[in-house]
Amino acid sequence: MKKVGWSSPKEESGGLAAILSAARHGLGKMGLVRTIKTLRAVNQQEGFDCPSCAWPDPTVPSAAEFCENGVKAVANAATRKRVTPEFFRRWSVVELGKQPDHWLNRQGRLTTPMVLHKGKDHYQPISWDTALRSVADHLRALSSPDRAVFYTSGRASNEAAFLFQLLARRFGTNNLPDCSNMCHESSGVALKETLGVGKGTVKLEDFSRADLILVIGQNPGTNHPRMLSTLEEAALRGAIIVHVNPLPEAGLSRFRNPQKLAAIVGKAVPLTRYFAQVRIGGDVAFLSAVMKQMLEAEENDPGNVLDRKFIHRYTQGFEELRSHLMSMSDERLVELSGVPSRVIEKIAQAIMRSDRIVACWAMGMTQHEHAVANIQSIVNLMLLKGCIGKPGAGVCPVRGHSNVQGDRTVGITSRPTIAFLEYLGNRFGFRPPLEPGLDTVDAIRAMHRGDIGVFLSLGGNFVSAAPDTTYTAEALSNCTLAAHVSTTLNRSHLTPGKESIILPCLARTERDVQRGRPQVLSVENSMGIVHGTTGVLEPASSDLRSEIWIVASLAARVLGEHSPWKHFAGDYDHIRSAIEEVIPGFDRYNELVRRPNGFALPNPACNRQFVTPSGKAQFTIHNPPSFRLDDGEYTMMTIRSHDQFNTEVYGLGDRYRGIKKGRNVIFLNPQDMKREGISAGQEVVITSLYDGESRSVQGFRAIPYPIPSRCAATYFPEANVLVPISHTASRSNTPASKSVVIRLD
């Protein structure tokens, strides 16, 4: 085993190191000319949307509107390396399965449809016609449409996602799990119940007006680096940034903007004014403590702390929340949150002095058993201040995948509304299935039971992204067929069903030409803006097909209908016209998507119109979770390194956390290590404990880190094997990857 190196974590982000890292990845994978051509088109009106995170573009983007991790994602798609049939002849599935994710990622772009027949150990090339016919035959042979699962990654375009869900529902099932089930489903549930819409309520310009920005359970420096420029501008004009997280993160400490020479050679800009280092799972307690101080201050100075007019006119449940919070013990809230009372008081005072507040969060809030309570506690705080539906204020769930929000908007969901199904059925002349389908966790369980025959994935790396890796791999292997629409080799291809097929597709960086005409795709960012994306590079192989062509061609074979599928595959404007007829808010879609900056989808909550049963925003009541840990037990969360995006691992280091040459590490509090007799760098066995079951991994190195006592952190996806399939968020069924109880040996 390689010796993992580590040093003290960094206290600033960006700067020359980010430039050099981006250049190394770009030039190493694409070469000079290809790098220049590609990066000049990223996030530009005449170019393509970054395949990484969903942070929005400014109204007037800079010439270099990309970040370090965006360059890595683009280089991954535009690499000159190829995974050809010769590669698969050389490597068996078993041999490939022994390689780490980092190695698999470096092999390059898939070029040709491949099939792994039952009982064989090597993928073999297959024609498109044979591949699609085989998938269609497997689907038609199922005893019920509900024995198929149609999984979607958040990188699929709006157009591809809409066709994919149409195929699934014409086939007869709502089994449409997606990556949102594993990340932001809790946000959608929480916001829908309280504000009437499952999305955020801010636009990028609101950050330039905010008095205070709350960043909670999020690490922008690694997962959304372009957000740091927005935070930098806010900090320089005097806005207060509050960071709430179990780990101090370099990206929220000080920032050297790589696009500013003065920042590279001069002083870094301090971002965070206040840091609340909560224990893992302590967010509800922390927010409750802050709100209690606000309520107490309101009693002493009526009308000058809370927005009473907003509360009276637009909300319901205030008195119940006030009574609940005032009954709580200050000492108990401090204990459960892990945040000292003096820090809570300073942050509460800053919030009380602020009129316009933006609250941002990511998966540090959404992947807990109490995730919905986490987010609804944020909403409670924002409602107390009237910070919904006014300039410079609002809630902002920051999505990871570049179009996970758009995919949900156009119908990728296992629980569609009746209204959506009626519109869809009327437009296409069929009766969509009404029964809710399987989400990701329930789909894995069904596959494990043998209830699913065909698994079809539109992008993504299902096995690596999902919880309980061993269980998930066993589940996928039970399928008669697993078929993957993919750009690069990943772990899911090496965890085959009885038969597996790889359908290689165009990347967002590449030109998509149908019937001699360049096509435009569209995506939706974290703030509800839909805009176009057009690739600029020649496809990696002449044998690649667009996601839309693949879905439409498969649908024609499965359903025996060549029209309208051929119609859609030849001109994507026809798909957008259909979306316009089915989904409210897409009026003049084909016209507006071609305009600079695209268009905003309607969001009633932004106008203080709350589509809830009462017609008002809803305060909710939540008790802070109390984690009961026995001696020797810890609460572990999975995190991402700076050298990865979701399951794509670009390197074995984590520059900001000081890790070199390894990912099998566990971050622990130094005092906990001393008490356990664990030395720095020592190899440990990690065992997760849940519902009488245990799961273990070996060979993880213990790294001392400034993390709260009795807390631990490990990298995703390496530690996913420890996340129990049954341990999920209440009401959203999202895997609780941020609150796993473990023991160390």
Side-chain angles (χ1 to χ4, degrees), residues 151 177-179 181-183 367 401 439-445 447 455 460-476 491-492 638 640 646-647 715-725 727-728 733-737:
Y151 174 78
D178 70 334
C179 61
N181 296 150
M182 294 186 279
C183 54
Q367 291 184 321
H401 263 316
D439 63 14
T440 295
V441 167
D442 286 341
I444 295 170
R445 289 190 179 120
M447 288 191 289
F455 174 85
N461 181 0
F462 187 77
V463 169
S464 288
D468 216 336
T469 311
T470 302
Y471 183 95
T472 298
E474 292 170 353
L476 193 60
R491 184 70 53 193
S492 297
T638 61
R640 282 133 177 85
N646 290 340
T647 60
Y715 287 130
F716 159 105
E718 287 78 4
N720 277 15
V721 67
L722 297 170
V723 181
I725 190 68
H727 190 200
T728 61
N733 211 28
T734 297
S737 304

Side-chain angles (χ1 to χ4, degrees), residues 169-189:
R169 293 187 168 110
R170 287 299 306 265
F171 183 64
T173 185
N174 283 315
N175 288 348
L176 281 155
D178 70 334
C179 61
S180 187
N181 296 150
M182 294 186 279
C183 54
H184 265 290
E185 193 70 46
S186 301
S187 296
V189 171

Side-chain angles (χ1 to χ4, degrees), residues 210-214 238-243 272-275 286 290-291 293-294 297 304-305 341-358 381 385 387:
D211 303 320
L212 184 144
I213 300 171
L214 177 66
I240 296 170
I241 297 175
V242 177
H243 180 206
T272 295
R273 186 88 60 91
Y274 301 109
F275 174 43
F286 166 76
V290 169
M291 287 188 285
Q293 292 210 7
M294 294 166 62
N304 291 317
V305 178
S341 57
R342 67 182 183 280
V343 176
I344 293 173
E345 183 177 353
K346 287 181 180 179
I347 293 173
Q349 289 292 331
I351 290 173
M352 286 187 273
R353 291 192 301 268
S354 301
D355 181 54
R356 295 181 293 273
I357 302 170
V358 170
L381 188 153
K385 292 292 294 181
C387 283

Side-chain angles (χ1 to χ4, degrees), residues 285-357:
F286 166 76
L287 292 164
S288 297
V290 169
M291 287 188 285
K292 184 180 180 187
Q293 292 210 7
M294 294 166 62
L295 291 167
E296 291 171 345
E298 174 71 12
E299 287 185 355
N300 296 325
D301 190 11
N304 291 317
V305 178
L306 308 183
D307 190 335
R308 285 284 189 172
K309 290 182 180 179
F310 174 88
I311 292 171
H312 176 72
R313 182 174 179 180
Y314 294 107
T315 73
Q316 179 174 278
F318 168 73
E319 287 300 330
E320 292 84 349
L321 176 69
R322 187 192 66 78
S323 176
H324 178 71
L325 291 173
M326 296 303 285
S327 70
M328 293 183 177
S329 159
D330 292 337
E331 293 76 15
R332 182 62 172 159
L333 290 176
V334 168
E335 177 189 353
L336 291 175
S337 70
V339 182
S341 57
R342 67 182 183 280
V343 176
I344 293 173
E345 183 177 353
K346 287 181 180 179
I347 293 173
Q349 289 292 331
I351 290 173
M352 286 187 273
R353 291 192 301 268
S354 301
D355 181 54
R356 295 181 293 273
I357 302 170

Side-chain angles (χ1 to χ4, degrees), residues 665-680:
V665 300
I666 179 167
F667 297 105
L668 296 168
N669 180 285
Q671 294 304 312
D672 289 341
M673 293 177 65
K674 183 178 180 180
R675 184 179 62 252
E676 295 280 357
I678 299 173
S679 60

Side-chain angles (χ1 to χ4, degrees), residues 76-77 79 83 104-105 108-110 486-490 493 648:
N76 212 49
T79 178
V83 178
L104 296 175
N105 184 69
R109 291 288 302 280
L110 296 161
S486 305
T487 57
T488 56
L489 184 66
N490 66 53
H493 305 141
E648 291 183 349

Side-chain angles (χ1 to χ4, degrees), residues 138 142 147 452-454 476-482 497-500:
H138 276 90
L142 295 175
R147 286 185 58 80
I452 301 299
V454 174
L476 193 60
S477 68
N478 282 339
C479 295
T480 305
L481 173 71
K498 302 292 188 296
E499 181 176 325
S500 289

Side-chain angles (χ1 to χ4, degrees), residues 158 161-162 165 169 199 406-412 417 419-421 423-424 427-428 524 575-589 599 601-602:
N158 285 345
F162 181 78
Q165 65 82 31
R169 293 187 168 110
K199 301 181 182 182
D407 288 354
R408 181 57 57 88
T409 298
V410 300
I412 297 295
T417 65
F420 171 80
L421 293 177
Y423 280 121
L424 189 72
R427 168 60 178 80
F428 291 99
E524 178 187 346
I575 305 173
R576 285 185 284 272
S577 294
I579 293 173
E580 183 177 337
E581 295 179 51
V582 172
I583 304 172
F586 283 88
D587 299 337
R588 299 160 56 210
Y589 193 0
F599 63 98
L601 291 172

